[in-house]
Amino acid sequence: MQELGLISIVVVIALGIFSQWLAWRIQWPSIVIMSIAGLLIGPVFGFINPEQALGDLYSPIVSLAVAVILFEGSTTLDIREVKGISKSVFRVVTFGAFLAWIGGSFAAHFIAGLSLEVAFIIGGLFVVTGPTVIIPLLRQSKLKPRTAAVLKWEGIIVDPAGPLLALFAYEVIKVIVDDSQNIGSLGPFFFAAFLAVVIGYLFGVILSFMASRGLFPEYLKSPITLSLVFICFGISEVIMHETGMLAVTVMGLTLARTKKYISSLGNISHFIENISVLLTSTIFILLTASLTRETIGEVFTLPILGFVLVMLFIVRPLSIWISTIGTELTVAEKTLIGWIAPRGIVALTVSGYFASTLINDGYEGASILTALTFALVFITVCAHGFTLGPLAKKLQLASSEPPGVLIVGASSFSIAFAEKLKEFGNPVMISDSSSGRLSRIEQNGIAIFQGEILDEHSQFEVDMTPYEIILVMTEDSTYNALVTQSYIPEFGYNNTFAIPTERMEYKDDAQIPIALKAHMLFGKEHVFKELNRKINTKYHIDSVTLTEKIEKKEDLPVDGYPLCIRKKNGTIEFITLRKTPAMDKEDQLVYLTKK
């Protein structure tokens, strides 16, 4: 049994990360790939059943993973994200959630056939969307900041509220059906929820205080943070089941408020974010692989499918449109937000708890809760995962242009390079802290940002949605390295480049570090001063459409220095010290040549 549990954990972790990678390669929603993978190794082929293999450890593992994911999500929230749409966010997470609870409860009663008591309990749970499903979708869809902020805040704030609403409904029902209890019996529920908020706040303050005072060494910051999250969650869960999620969310929100004042907390955020990605993929496969064939079979019944359709096309749109009347959101934003509401890990985990509890209380109809939840989770994940990107582009809430380029540093060469890229139709922005250098850019459609790109405020002042590549082109090598490292998490390793500032004195190419080769643009001799000297004298940047496939640089049909290749699909591949991209027929070669 021990070996079986070990094999199950290894398979689930490996398959989860592989699913994330495969989704990135084929540009599918990662949640969809993970769901399919879990179903295939679990109920479809029966290779493993993680719940049976892990035994009593299954529920604690899932619960602790959810706690870390919620904590990580809440630490990323920044009030500056909702500047101009705070009323909308507040309405969606309060009045909108309430309407979704009422609408979902009536749908569960009249469509799915649940008793009114069970319907109101599960209806409260189904208001959740959650960071486990929303964040991966936002990462892939490149939504504009306003719309993304509403969906992100709703997912993180409402996620712990859903289980609490379900628990509140359960406590109210016990008061109604049990003559021995009265309204005062709800006191412990409210007190426990209040304690969860206090506990979460205190743990957030403690962690911030310790980090700001340097009370633990750098190498222990991340482990200590993770331990405090577990302790915070565990204490709240002991006080009352399902309040741990509220506690860690409050802890994360408290930390988010102080993070901008304590620079050392940045490393903690990166660590927790990486752990969160691992846990999201692992837990989603863990849950879907633990489902039974009987549960899957129950999904394809008319009442359950009818319930899901009502939730998709009636309850969610109405709750958003009604709750956002008179707010800042446009019709397009309301339409998109009213459609996107995928359910995830929290709904699956908590519904199992309430299913067993209600069955023990004599509610036989509660036996379909697992199938009902899985149907809602899987269908919404697939429907919203595949439609978010296309619908957002149709509503002009996501970039529909070719991949854009963000250039840091305004110089003669970078401006000329930007102008050439702009001719192809790719969005280009030049960022520089000097208004004098930016003033050299004529009214040619190139966007500019005057400010420090490393400043935390810049991410709220600049819409990064259109840009997938960053080129750092200043004369300060240290600054270039700092910007490059800072933006690798956002743009990706393969989309982050810098220009050399001085000639590299290596005897041969083999001595140049591979990591440096991958990020350094053009060639060893193409340093900042040399490129700007050439562009200011007898050189200019030109382009040519290739009439045949080019295998070697020596076979180029032009006399000049190749800079990048614009592929037929609109993507741009840059020449680096490490490699020269493949040059196919009909690709456009951009090169530096004499006038």
Side-chain angles (χ1 to χ4, degrees):
M1 182 64 70
Q2 184 177 358
E3 290 78 8
L4 184 60
L6 175 63
I7 293 173
S8 298
I9 292 175
V10 171
V11 169
V12 167
I13 292 175
L15 196 57
I17 298 303
F18 174 76
S19 298
Q20 293 265 20
W21 174 83
L22 180 62
W24 170 74
R25 290 292 299 177
I26 65 177
Q27 292 301 297
W28 272 32
S30 59
I31 299 297
V32 174
I33 301 293
M34 290 186 284
S35 300
I36 295 173
L39 291 175
L40 289 177
I41 66 170
V44 175
F45 294 111
F47 293 144
I48 61 173
N49 187 320
E51 186 172 10
Q52 292 180 0
L54 296 175
D56 293 338
L57 291 176
Y58 176 80
S59 292
I61 289 174
V62 172
S63 297
L64 289 174
V66 171
V68 174
I69 294 167
L70 279 176
F71 171 76
E72 187 274 330
S74 58
T75 58
T76 64
L77 294 179
D78 194 301
I79 196 65
R80 290 170 291 184
E81 290 179 328
V82 294
K83 183 180 180 181
I85 53 170
S86 55
K87 183 193 293 186
S88 305
V89 172
F90 178 76
R91 292 269 200 91
V92 168
V93 301
T94 53
F95 189 39
F98 175 76
L99 291 176
W101 178 22
I102 302 302
S105 300
F106 282 123
H109 175 62
F110 292 108
I111 307 297
L114 295 174
S115 66
L116 205 55
E117 298 93 331
V118 176
F120 267 89
I121 293 172
I122 203 65
L125 176 61
F126 286 161
V127 304
V128 303
T129 52
T132 59
V133 284
I134 284 295
I135 300 301
L137 292 184
L138 295 180
R139 190 180 292 126
Q140 290 180 314
S141 61
K142 302 286 283 185
L143 281 184
K144 290 186 176 179
R146 272 172 52 114
T147 314
V150 175
L151 290 170
K152 176 184 173 183
W153 275 71
E154 180 197 16
I156 294 171
I157 298 299
V158 175
D159 220 34
L164 284 178
L165 283 177
L167 197 60
F168 172 71
Y170 177 67
E171 296 293 333
V172 171
I173 288 168
K174 285 199 301 184
V175 171
I176 294 174
V177 300
D178 190 348
D179 294 335
S180 64
Q181 299 193 45
N182 53 44
I183 195 67
S185 302
L186 295 176
F189 167 81
F190 290 110
F191 183 67
F194 172 75
L195 276 182
V197 172
V198 172
I199 291 170
Y201 177 74
L202 288 177
F203 271 84
V205 170
I206 290 170
L207 180 58
S208 299
F209 177 82
M210 293 176 69
S212 64
R213 297 295 190 277
L215 298 181
F216 40 62
E218 196 69 30
Y219 69 92
L220 282 180
K221 283 183 179 178
S222 297
I224 287 175
T225 299
L226 201 58
S227 300
L228 290 177
V229 171
F230 289 155
I231 295 171
C232 176
F233 179 81
I235 293 174
S236 298
E237 283 291 296
V238 169
I239 294 173
M240 187 175 72
H241 197 51
E242 304 303 344
T243 60
M245 287 185 282
L246 175 62
V248 295
T249 301
V250 173
M251 179 182 175
L253 289 171
T254 305
L255 200 65
R257 289 185 58 194
T258 59
K259 190 168 61 174
K260 56 180 175 285
Y261 304 114
I262 307 173
S263 58
S264 61
L265 292 177
N267 294 333
I268 295 176
S269 299
H270 290 312
F271 171 78
I272 298 295
E273 181 181 6
N274 294 333
I275 290 293
S276 179
V277 172
L278 174 66
L279 293 177
T280 299
S281 54
T282 301
I283 298 305
F284 218 91
I285 291 182
L286 203 67
L287 292 170
T288 51
S290 298
L291 296 170
T292 63
R293 292 183 180 179
E294 291 73 18
T295 299
I296 304 300
E298 290 179 6
V299 167
F300 300 100
T301 58
L302 192 57
I304 290 182
L305 291 177
F307 166 78
V308 173
L309 292 176
V310 169
M311 293 291 287
L312 279 172
F313 294 103
I314 298 178
V315 174
R316 172 64 178 185
L318 281 179
S319 65
I320 294 299
W321 279 87
I322 294 175
S323 64
T324 56
I325 292 175
T327 63
E328 313 90 342
L329 295 183
T330 64
V331 171
E333 290 170 331
K334 291 180 183 180
T335 301
L336 184 66
I337 296 169
W339 168 243
I340 302 300
R343 274 64 171 188
I345 290 175
V346 171
L348 278 174
T349 55
V350 180
S351 67
Y353 164 75
F354 280 108
S356 59
T357 300
L358 292 170
I359 290 173
N360 292 334
D361 289 347
Y363 294 98
E364 296 181 1
S367 59
I368 71 166
L369 288 186
T370 302
L372 190 71
T373 306
F374 173 71
L376 185 63
V377 169
F378 187 73
I379 293 175
T380 56
V381 161
C382 291
H384 298 151
F386 283 114
T387 59
L388 175 57
L391 181 60
K393 290 180 180 179
K394 186 75 174 177
L395 296 172
Q396 298 183 346
L397 295 175
S399 176
S400 57
E401 298 176 292
V405 179
L406 171 63
I407 298 177
V408 180
S411 65
S412 300
F413 175 79
S414 66
I415 293 171
F417 195 39
E419 289 173 347
K420 176 55 66 175
L421 296 178
K422 184 64 180 178
E423 288 179 13
F424 296 135
N426 293 76
V428 182
M429 173 184 283
I430 296 182
S431 167
D432 201 295
S433 58
S434 169
S435 59
R437 288 192 289 265
L438 289 175
S439 65
R440 299 164 57 188
I441 303 176
E442 299 178 355
Q443 299 299 320
N444 50 13
I446 297 177
I448 63 172
F449 169 66
Q450 182 187 345
E452 176 51 67
I453 199 68
L454 289 175
D455 194 329
E456 188 181 5
H457 293 276
S458 65
Q459 63 179 298
F460 304 106
E461 298 174 11
V462 183
D463 180 8
M464 297 284 189
T465 306
Y467 311 107
E468 295 185 10
I469 300 168
I470 183 170
L471 310 180
V472 190
M473 294 183 166
T474 77
E475 58 184 339
D476 187 338
S477 60
T478 304
Y479 181 79
N480 290 353
L482 184 59
V483 175
T484 301
Q485 291 301 313
S486 299
Y487 277 88
I488 281 178
E490 181 169 346
F491 286 88
Y493 181 85
N494 294 325
N495 294 328
T496 309
F497 305 96
I499 195 171
T501 57
E502 55 187 19
R503 292 183 182 273
M504 299 183 183
E505 301 298 333
Y506 291 97
K507 294 181 179 179
D508 55 67
D509 287 351
Q511 291 182 320
I512 303 176
I514 293 178
L516 188 61
K517 285 184 180 181
H519 288 293
M520 285 298 164
L521 290 167
F522 314 139
K524 289 185 294 184
E525 70 280 5
H526 294 141
V527 297
F528 178 86
K529 290 182 179 179
E530 183 66 17
L531 287 171
N532 279 279
R533 184 191 66 78
K534 287 181 176 180
I535 209 73
N536 286 328
T537 54
K538 300 178 180 180
Y539 287 77
H540 74 291
I541 297 176
D542 205 348
S543 63
V544 63
T545 301
L546 301 177
T547 57
E548 60 180 352
K549 184 175 182 178
I550 305 297
E551 299 288 348
K552 302 177 181 177
K553 280 186 180 181
E554 293 76 16
D555 299 331
L556 289 175
V558 297
D559 181 20
Y561 305 98
L563 302 177
C564 66
I565 301 293
R566 189 181 190 271
K567 310 298 287 186
K568 288 179 287 187
N569 62 2
T571 60
I572 299 175
E573 298 184 9
F574 293 90
I575 311 293
T576 67
L577 296 182
R578 185 178 183 183
K579 70 173 185 177
T580 299
M583 303 181 194
D584 300 317
K585 184 179 179 180
E586 297 183 14
D587 287 349
Q588 290 173 299
L589 170 67
V590 179
Y591 61 101
L592 181 67
T593 186
K594 286 186 177 181
K595 296 179 182 179

